[in-house]
Amino acid sequence: PEPDPTREKLNLLNKRRDQLVAIRQQEKTRRAEIADADIIAGLDAHISWISTEIMQIEAAIRDLVKASAELAEAEALLRSAPGIGEVGAAILTGLLPELGHRSAKQIAMLAGLAPVNQDSGTRRGQRAICGGRRRVRQALYMAAVVTLRTRSPLKAFYDRLRNAGKPPKVALIALARKILVILNAMVKSNTPFKA
């Protein structure tokens, strides 16, 4: 799709939020390794400042989404699905404008959640996910993890895969892809999630 200035702004705000969250985590790790009270006080002040900045950016994201009828509608639709929260909806809305306009296979490839054959000549390798939009894949992975704490049919899907002998990570990636395919169908038909 053609670049949309509102989505571009949303992507910049999401990117800045991600950067600040990463910096805050680094500072928390440093704090756990230090025993000096003066340095700990400085780190605590920095962590507090970063947390305030994150809250301000999240408020700016909410305001931007509310100001655009298209983004507000898309976010409300996405958030009706289990595992998709405010951050996940903002990331999917900003970084995956193709949602609802592509086939399930194409959208999974765009997100990097489609298994790709690792074949060469007569050698048949194991299929693995690769490429795609990394931040979208991370958001969907976290949505899959959150979904495991619910009683939705999606958790039952994960449990079936685990009972069939699939490793936990493989089952989580399959669940993330299933969530993406469901979201794609929801946006295409403009229908909220139904259990």
Side-chain angles (χ1 to χ4, degrees), residues 46-61:
H46 192 217
I47 290 168
S48 175
W49 179 83
I50 292 170
S51 296
T52 303
E53 286 293 306
I54 291 170
M55 287 188 293
Q56 289 174 354
I57 288 176
E58 287 173 345
I61 289 171

Side-chain angles (χ1 to χ4, degrees), residues 36-107:
D36 185 273
D38 293 333
I39 295 175
I40 288 175
L43 286 170
D44 286 342
H46 192 217
I47 290 168
S48 175
W49 179 83
I50 292 170
S51 296
T52 303
E53 286 293 306
I54 291 170
M55 287 188 293
Q56 289 174 354
I57 288 176
E58 287 173 345
I61 289 171
R62 280 191 296 275
D63 292 343
L64 182 68
V65 168
K66 284 179 189 172
S68 168
E70 179 189 355
L71 292 181
E73 183 181 332
E75 184 196 37
L77 197 59
L78 294 174
R79 289 191 65 183
S80 70
I84 303 295
E86 187 177 342
V87 173
I91 289 167
L92 291 171
T93 302
L95 292 177
L96 204 58
E98 299 90 351
L99 201 60
H101 303 289
R102 299 283 187 265
S103 70
K105 196 179 255 187
Q106 289 172 329
I107 207 76

Side-chain angles (χ1 to χ4, degrees), residues 166-186:
K166 299 289 183 190
K169 200 78 133 197
V170 171
L172 265 175
I173 293 299
L175 179 57
R177 179 181 175 160
K178 186 166 187 77
I179 291 170
L180 176 61
V181 169
I182 289 170
L183 293 174
N184 191 47
M186 285 168 46

Side-chain angles (χ1 to χ4, degrees), residues 16 19-27 30 46 50:
R16 183 60 183 152
Q19 291 167 347
L20 289 171
V21 168
I23 293 168
R24 181 175 62 185
Q25 185 55 49
Q26 290 169 352
E27 290 293 83
R30 288 183 190 104
H46 192 217
I50 292 170

